[in-house]
Amino acid sequence: QGPPTFSGLFNVMGVWPAVYASLLIPSARIVQTDDKRFAPPATPFVAASVAFGAFALLPYLAITKFREAADGAVADEAAWEGRTGGFVAKILESKIQAALLVGAVAACAYQASSGGLAGVEEFKAMFATSKLVNVTSCDCATLSLCAPFWAASDARRRGVDANWPFLLSLLPIMGPAVYLLLRPQLETTAE
């Protein structure tokens, strides 16, 4: 089982892929290479992040570039895949799914804090000796540092001021999960 602080951290690492799936999959990203544009699917990277965390997502996050008009509207609407018509997109856009994520994060936070100061001391001792604790902690920190950027990008895609999602997402994991609960639905376009 291990100390509650590490158990809570380890369990929250199972929530991060669902949060990133909801931020990245509903709308495609456009990648610019020379004069060609393509939209790599986020799904394989998000799926791999279940096992490999940030190590699987960082290549996607590094090569992806939003192309937006100056007013925040999408510059090339035809290049955005993933409208809300698909079954997976409907789940990822669902307020029920977002509420479940907020609940899961709250449960993990409760679990992590249930050990009190003794749990924190035990976690520090494990951090000094365990590579698993080191990697898990660094992975969570990396995902937490990237989340405000992607929450703000998602907000711009939805025509929402990007400042509040960015600031809210500075609160690790809970901020992005709450943003998913509060964000407006993604607009669909007739094709």
Side-chain angles (χ1 to χ4, degrees), residues 19-29 42-43 45-46 57 60-61 64 66 92 150 154 183:
V19 169
Y20 268 93
S22 294
L23 289 173
L24 300 176
I25 292 174
S27 56
R29 311 307 188 227
T43 306
F45 296 94
V46 171
L57 279 176
Y60 179 79
L61 301 179
T64 302
F66 273 88
L92 296 175
W150 291 104
D154 182 76
R183 72 181 179 179

PDB file of all heavy atoms in Angstrom, residues 19-29 42-43 45-46 57 60-61 64 66 92 150 154 183:
ATOM      1  N   VAL A  19      -7.903  13.831 -18.030  1.00  0.00           N
ATOM      2  CA  VAL A  19      -7.934  15.296 -18.122  1.00  0.00           C
ATOM      3  C   VAL A  19      -7.314  15.737 -19.449  1.00  0.00           C
ATOM      4  O   VAL A  19      -7.886  16.551 -20.181  1.00  0.00           O
ATOM      5  CB  VAL A  19      -7.207  15.945 -16.924  1.00  0.00           C
ATOM      6  CG1 VAL A  19      -7.008  17.430 -17.143  1.00  0.00           C
ATOM      7  CG2 VAL A  19      -7.979  15.687 -15.635  1.00  0.00           C
ATOM      8  N   TYR A  20      -6.146  15.202 -19.768  1.00  0.00           N
ATOM      9  CA  TYR A  20      -5.503  15.573 -21.030  1.00  0.00           C
ATOM     10  C   TYR A  20      -6.316  15.105 -22.241  1.00  0.00           C
ATOM     11  O   TYR A  20      -6.350  15.789 -23.259  1.00  0.00           O
ATOM     12  CB  TYR A  20      -4.060  15.052 -21.091  1.00  0.00           C
ATOM     13  CG  TYR A  20      -3.087  16.079 -20.562  1.00  0.00           C
ATOM     14  CD1 TYR A  20      -2.694  16.091 -19.238  1.00  0.00           C
ATOM     15  CD2 TYR A  20      -2.589  17.074 -21.392  1.00  0.00           C
ATOM     16  CE1 TYR A  20      -1.830  17.039 -18.748  1.00  0.00           C
ATOM     17  CE2 TYR A  20      -1.725  18.026 -20.916  1.00  0.00           C
ATOM     18  CZ  TYR A  20      -1.336  18.009 -19.599  1.00  0.00           C
ATOM     19  OH  TYR A  20      -0.485  18.972 -19.127  1.00  0.00           O
ATOM     20  N   ALA A  21      -6.964  13.961 -22.138  1.00  0.00           N
ATOM     21  CA  ALA A  21      -7.830  13.516 -23.238  1.00  0.00           C
ATOM     22  C   ALA A  21      -8.919  14.545 -23.489  1.00  0.00           C
ATOM     23  O   ALA A  21      -9.216  14.888 -24.640  1.00  0.00           O
ATOM     24  CB  ALA A  21      -8.438  12.156 -22.916  1.00  0.00           C
ATOM     25  N   SER A  22      -9.513  15.072 -22.428  1.00  0.00           N
ATOM     26  CA  SER A  22     -10.580  16.064 -22.575  1.00  0.00           C
ATOM     27  C   SER A  22     -10.065  17.401 -23.091  1.00  0.00           C
ATOM     28  O   SER A  22     -10.807  18.147 -23.728  1.00  0.00           O
ATOM     29  CB  SER A  22     -11.283  16.274 -21.237  1.00  0.00           C
ATOM     30  OG  SER A  22     -11.955  15.093 -20.859  1.00  0.00           O
ATOM     31  N   LEU A  23      -8.804  17.711 -22.845  1.00  0.00           N
ATOM     32  CA  LEU A  23      -8.229  18.958 -23.351  1.00  0.00           C
ATOM     33  C   LEU A  23      -7.737  18.827 -24.785  1.00  0.00           C
ATOM     34  O   LEU A  23      -7.826  19.777 -25.558  1.00  0.00           O
ATOM     35  CB  LEU A  23      -7.054  19.402 -22.462  1.00  0.00           C
ATOM     36  CG  LEU A  23      -7.394  19.918 -21.081  1.00  0.00           C
ATOM     37  CD1 LEU A  23      -6.112  20.149 -20.279  1.00  0.00           C
ATOM     38  CD2 LEU A  23      -8.225  21.187 -21.151  1.00  0.00           C
ATOM     39  N   LEU A  24      -7.230  17.665 -25.166  1.00  0.00           N
ATOM     40  CA  LEU A  24      -6.542  17.528 -26.454  1.00  0.00           C
ATOM     41  C   LEU A  24      -7.360  16.862 -27.560  1.00  0.00           C
ATOM     42  O   LEU A  24      -7.215  17.226 -28.725  1.00  0.00           O
ATOM     43  CB  LEU A  24      -5.249  16.729 -26.269  1.00  0.00           C
ATOM     44  CG  LEU A  24      -4.220  17.319 -25.312  1.00  0.00           C
ATOM     45  CD1 LEU A  24      -3.052  16.361 -25.153  1.00  0.00           C
ATOM     46  CD2 LEU A  24      -3.756  18.674 -25.785  1.00  0.00           C
ATOM     47  N   ILE A  25      -8.190  15.897 -27.242  1.00  0.00           N
ATOM     48  CA  ILE A  25      -8.847  15.112 -28.290  1.00  0.00           C
ATOM     49  C   ILE A  25     -10.027  15.814 -28.965  1.00  0.00           C
ATOM     50  O   ILE A  25     -10.163  15.712 -30.176  1.00  0.00           O
ATOM     51  CB  ILE A  25      -9.245  13.722 -27.755  1.00  0.00           C
ATOM     52  CG1 ILE A  25      -7.976  12.920 -27.471  1.00  0.00           C
ATOM     53  CG2 ILE A  25     -10.144  12.977 -28.736  1.00  0.00           C
ATOM     54  CD1 ILE A  25      -8.214  11.580 -26.810  1.00  0.00           C
ATOM     55  N   PRO A  26     -10.892  16.543 -28.235  1.00  0.00           N
ATOM     56  CA  PRO A  26     -12.068  17.092 -28.914  1.00  0.00           C
ATOM     57  C   PRO A  26     -11.782  17.983 -30.122  1.00  0.00           C
ATOM     58  O   PRO A  26     -12.601  18.087 -31.013  1.00  0.00           O
ATOM     59  CB  PRO A  26     -12.782  17.881 -27.819  1.00  0.00           C
ATOM     60  CG  PRO A  26     -12.415  17.159 -26.579  1.00  0.00           C
ATOM     61  CD  PRO A  26     -10.983  16.751 -26.788  1.00  0.00           C
ATOM     62  N   SER A  27     -10.642  18.610 -30.173  1.00  0.00           N
ATOM     63  CA  SER A  27     -10.313  19.393 -31.365  1.00  0.00           C
ATOM     64  C   SER A  27      -8.896  19.075 -31.782  1.00  0.00           C
ATOM     65  O   SER A  27      -8.019  18.873 -30.959  1.00  0.00           O
ATOM     66  CB  SER A  27     -10.476  20.893 -31.097  1.00  0.00           C
ATOM     67  OG  SER A  27      -9.705  21.288 -30.007  1.00  0.00           O
ATOM     68  N   ALA A  28      -8.679  18.985 -33.070  1.00  0.00           N
ATOM     69  CA  ALA A  28      -7.372  18.602 -33.596  1.00  0.00           C
ATOM     70  C   ALA A  28      -6.399  19.766 -33.489  1.00  0.00           C
ATOM     71  O   ALA A  28      -6.789  20.921 -33.454  1.00  0.00           O
ATOM     72  CB  ALA A  28      -7.500  18.179 -35.050  1.00  0.00           C
ATOM     73  N   ARG A  29      -5.164  19.441 -33.480  1.00  0.00           N
ATOM     74  CA  ARG A  29      -4.109  20.447 -33.493  1.00  0.00           C
ATOM     75  C   ARG A  29      -3.486  20.456 -34.880  1.00  0.00           C
ATOM     76  O   ARG A  29      -3.407  19.438 -35.547  1.00  0.00           O
ATOM     77  CB  ARG A  29      -3.033  20.128 -32.456  1.00  0.00           C
ATOM     78  CG  ARG A  29      -3.559  19.813 -31.074  1.00  0.00           C
ATOM     79  CD  ARG A  29      -4.487  20.897 -30.581  1.00  0.00           C
ATOM     80  NE  ARG A  29      -4.817  20.654 -29.182  1.00  0.00           N
ATOM     81  CZ  ARG A  29      -6.028  20.700 -28.714  1.00  0.00           C
ATOM     82  NH1 ARG A  29      -7.044  20.925 -29.510  1.00  0.00           N
ATOM     83  NH2 ARG A  29      -6.255  20.537 -27.442  1.00  0.00           N
ATOM     84  N   ALA A  42      -4.317  13.108 -31.399  1.00  0.00           N
ATOM     85  CA  ALA A  42      -3.882  13.133 -30.003  1.00  0.00           C
ATOM     86  C   ALA A  42      -4.106  11.791 -29.323  1.00  0.00           C
ATOM     87  O   ALA A  42      -3.420  11.462 -28.349  1.00  0.00           O
ATOM     88  CB  ALA A  42      -4.625  14.231 -29.253  1.00  0.00           C
ATOM     89  N   THR A  43      -5.041  11.015 -29.829  1.00  0.00           N
ATOM     90  CA  THR A  43      -5.461   9.786 -29.154  1.00  0.00           C
ATOM     91  C   THR A  43      -4.320   8.822 -28.846  1.00  0.00           C
ATOM     92  O   THR A  43      -4.225   8.337 -27.712  1.00  0.00           O
ATOM     93  CB  THR A  43      -6.567   9.085 -29.967  1.00  0.00           C
ATOM     94  OG1 THR A  43      -7.615  10.027 -30.189  1.00  0.00           O
ATOM     95  CG2 THR A  43      -7.111   7.885 -29.234  1.00  0.00           C
ATOM     96  N   PHE A  45      -1.160   9.384 -28.338  1.00  0.00           N
ATOM     97  CA  PHE A  45      -0.295   9.977 -27.316  1.00  0.00           C
ATOM     98  C   PHE A  45      -0.975   9.940 -25.951  1.00  0.00           C
ATOM     99  O   PHE A  45      -0.345   9.630 -24.945  1.00  0.00           O
ATOM    100  CB  PHE A  45       0.068  11.418 -27.696  1.00  0.00           C
ATOM    101  CG  PHE A  45       0.887  11.520 -28.950  1.00  0.00           C
ATOM    102  CD1 PHE A  45       0.282  11.741 -30.173  1.00  0.00           C
ATOM    103  CD2 PHE A  45       2.263  11.394 -28.906  1.00  0.00           C
ATOM    104  CE1 PHE A  45       1.029  11.831 -31.336  1.00  0.00           C
ATOM    105  CE2 PHE A  45       3.034  11.490 -30.055  1.00  0.00           C
ATOM    106  CZ  PHE A  45       2.409  11.706 -31.275  1.00  0.00           C
ATOM    107  N   VAL A  46      -2.270  10.278 -25.927  1.00  0.00           N
ATOM    108  CA  VAL A  46      -3.016  10.249 -24.667  1.00  0.00           C
ATOM    109  C   VAL A  46      -3.127   8.811 -24.159  1.00  0.00           C
ATOM    110  O   VAL A  46      -2.947   8.548 -22.959  1.00  0.00           O
ATOM    111  CB  VAL A  46      -4.411  10.890 -24.835  1.00  0.00           C
ATOM    112  CG1 VAL A  46      -5.261  10.671 -23.607  1.00  0.00           C
ATOM    113  CG2 VAL A  46      -4.270  12.379 -25.138  1.00  0.00           C
ATOM    114  N   LEU A  57       3.216  12.130 -23.687  1.00  0.00           N
ATOM    115  CA  LEU A  57       2.533  13.341 -24.157  1.00  0.00           C
ATOM    116  C   LEU A  57       3.484  14.418 -24.652  1.00  0.00           C
ATOM    117  O   LEU A  57       3.117  15.209 -25.529  1.00  0.00           O
ATOM    118  CB  LEU A  57       1.688  13.938 -23.024  1.00  0.00           C
ATOM    119  CG  LEU A  57       0.338  13.311 -22.787  1.00  0.00           C
ATOM    120  CD1 LEU A  57      -0.325  13.944 -21.574  1.00  0.00           C
ATOM    121  CD2 LEU A  57      -0.562  13.435 -23.998  1.00  0.00           C
ATOM    122  N   TYR A  60       3.955  15.013 -28.474  1.00  0.00           N
ATOM    123  CA  TYR A  60       2.770  15.623 -29.076  1.00  0.00           C
ATOM    124  C   TYR A  60       2.679  17.101 -28.713  1.00  0.00           C
ATOM    125  O   TYR A  60       2.436  17.950 -29.567  1.00  0.00           O
ATOM    126  CB  TYR A  60       1.506  14.888 -28.610  1.00  0.00           C
ATOM    127  CG  TYR A  60       0.239  15.481 -29.184  1.00  0.00           C
ATOM    128  CD1 TYR A  60      -0.136  15.192 -30.488  1.00  0.00           C
ATOM    129  CD2 TYR A  60      -0.552  16.336 -28.437  1.00  0.00           C
ATOM    130  CE1 TYR A  60      -1.285  15.732 -31.028  1.00  0.00           C
ATOM    131  CE2 TYR A  60      -1.701  16.882 -28.968  1.00  0.00           C
ATOM    132  CZ  TYR A  60      -2.067  16.581 -30.265  1.00  0.00           C
ATOM    133  OH  TYR A  60      -3.194  17.138 -30.794  1.00  0.00           O
ATOM    134  N   LEU A  61       2.908  17.407 -27.440  1.00  0.00           N
ATOM    135  CA  LEU A  61       2.826  18.798 -27.006  1.00  0.00           C
ATOM    136  C   LEU A  61       3.914  19.643 -27.651  1.00  0.00           C
ATOM    137  O   LEU A  61       3.707  20.824 -27.931  1.00  0.00           O
ATOM    138  CB  LEU A  61       2.931  18.879 -25.478  1.00  0.00           C
ATOM    139  CG  LEU A  61       1.861  18.106 -24.698  1.00  0.00           C
ATOM    140  CD1 LEU A  61       2.098  18.242 -23.202  1.00  0.00           C
ATOM    141  CD2 LEU A  61       0.468  18.553 -25.056  1.00  0.00           C
ATOM    142  N   THR A  64       2.995  20.268 -31.606  1.00  0.00           N
ATOM    143  CA  THR A  64       1.675  20.799 -31.898  1.00  0.00           C
ATOM    144  C   THR A  64       1.666  22.310 -31.827  1.00  0.00           C
ATOM    145  O   THR A  64       2.244  22.899 -30.936  1.00  0.00           O
ATOM    146  CB  THR A  64       0.650  20.213 -30.912  1.00  0.00           C
ATOM    147  OG1 THR A  64       0.705  18.808 -31.040  1.00  0.00           O
ATOM    148  CG2 THR A  64      -0.737  20.680 -31.223  1.00  0.00           C
ATOM    149  N   PHE A  66      -1.167  25.526 -32.407  1.00  0.00           N
ATOM    150  CA  PHE A  66      -2.476  26.033 -32.785  1.00  0.00           C
ATOM    151  C   PHE A  66      -2.312  27.122 -33.833  1.00  0.00           C
ATOM    152  O   PHE A  66      -1.407  27.929 -33.745  1.00  0.00           O
ATOM    153  CB  PHE A  66      -3.183  26.654 -31.573  1.00  0.00           C
ATOM    154  CG  PHE A  66      -3.951  25.679 -30.776  1.00  0.00           C
ATOM    155  CD1 PHE A  66      -3.350  24.975 -29.768  1.00  0.00           C
ATOM    156  CD2 PHE A  66      -5.286  25.470 -31.033  1.00  0.00           C
ATOM    157  CE1 PHE A  66      -4.060  24.070 -29.023  1.00  0.00           C
ATOM    158  CE2 PHE A  66      -6.011  24.571 -30.292  1.00  0.00           C
ATOM    159  CZ  PHE A  66      -5.388  23.874 -29.283  1.00  0.00           C
ATOM    160  N   LEU A  92     -15.912  13.040 -23.764  1.00  0.00           N
ATOM    161  CA  LEU A  92     -14.878  13.982 -23.335  1.00  0.00           C
ATOM    162  C   LEU A  92     -15.427  15.386 -23.107  1.00  0.00           C
ATOM    163  O   LEU A  92     -14.846  16.165 -22.362  1.00  0.00           O
ATOM    164  CB  LEU A  92     -13.736  14.014 -24.347  1.00  0.00           C
ATOM    165  CG  LEU A  92     -12.961  12.696 -24.486  1.00  0.00           C
ATOM    166  CD1 LEU A  92     -11.936  12.801 -25.588  1.00  0.00           C
ATOM    167  CD2 LEU A  92     -12.332  12.283 -23.181  1.00  0.00           C
ATOM    168  N   TRP A 150      -2.479  24.262 -22.080  1.00  0.00           N
ATOM    169  CA  TRP A 150      -3.488  23.541 -22.859  1.00  0.00           C
ATOM    170  C   TRP A 150      -4.903  23.912 -22.466  1.00  0.00           C
ATOM    171  O   TRP A 150      -5.803  23.912 -23.308  1.00  0.00           O
ATOM    172  CB  TRP A 150      -3.241  22.034 -22.794  1.00  0.00           C
ATOM    173  CG  TRP A 150      -1.989  21.757 -23.552  1.00  0.00           C
ATOM    174  CD1 TRP A 150      -0.755  21.484 -23.035  1.00  0.00           C
ATOM    175  CD2 TRP A 150      -1.823  21.830 -24.966  1.00  0.00           C
ATOM    176  NE1 TRP A 150       0.159  21.373 -24.057  1.00  0.00           N
ATOM    177  CE2 TRP A 150      -0.467  21.579 -25.249  1.00  0.00           C
ATOM    178  CE3 TRP A 150      -2.684  22.078 -26.030  1.00  0.00           C
ATOM    179  CZ2 TRP A 150       0.041  21.565 -26.545  1.00  0.00           C
ATOM    180  CZ3 TRP A 150      -2.180  22.064 -27.316  1.00  0.00           C
ATOM    181  CH2 TRP A 150      -0.836  21.815 -27.563  1.00  0.00           C
ATOM    182  N   ASP A 154      -7.461  25.459 -25.122  1.00  0.00           N
ATOM    183  CA  ASP A 154      -8.805  24.911 -25.261  1.00  0.00           C
ATOM    184  C   ASP A 154      -9.849  26.018 -25.102  1.00  0.00           C
ATOM    185  O   ASP A 154     -10.833  26.063 -25.843  1.00  0.00           O
ATOM    186  CB  ASP A 154      -9.026  23.811 -24.214  1.00  0.00           C
ATOM    187  CG  ASP A 154     -10.387  23.162 -24.350  1.00  0.00           C
ATOM    188  OD1 ASP A 154     -10.567  22.345 -25.275  1.00  0.00           O
ATOM    189  OD2 ASP A 154     -11.273  23.471 -23.527  1.00  0.00           O
ATOM    190  N   ARG A 183     -16.145  24.747 -18.533  1.00  0.00           N
ATOM    191  CA  ARG A 183     -15.961  25.232 -19.907  1.00  0.00           C
ATOM    192  C   ARG A 183     -17.236  25.086 -20.721  1.00  0.00           C
ATOM    193  O   ARG A 183     -18.038  24.161 -20.511  1.00  0.00           O
ATOM    194  CB  ARG A 183     -14.817  24.508 -20.593  1.00  0.00           C
ATOM    195  CG  ARG A 183     -15.131  23.069 -20.944  1.00  0.00           C
ATOM    196  CD  ARG A 183     -13.947  22.376 -21.600  1.00  0.00           C
ATOM    197  NE  ARG A 183     -14.269  20.990 -21.897  1.00  0.00           N
ATOM    198  CZ  ARG A 183     -13.426  20.168 -22.479  1.00  0.00           C
ATOM    199  NH1 ARG A 183     -12.225  20.554 -22.825  1.00  0.00           N
ATOM    200  NH2 ARG A 183     -13.799  18.924 -22.722  1.00  0.00           N
TER     201      ARG A 183
END
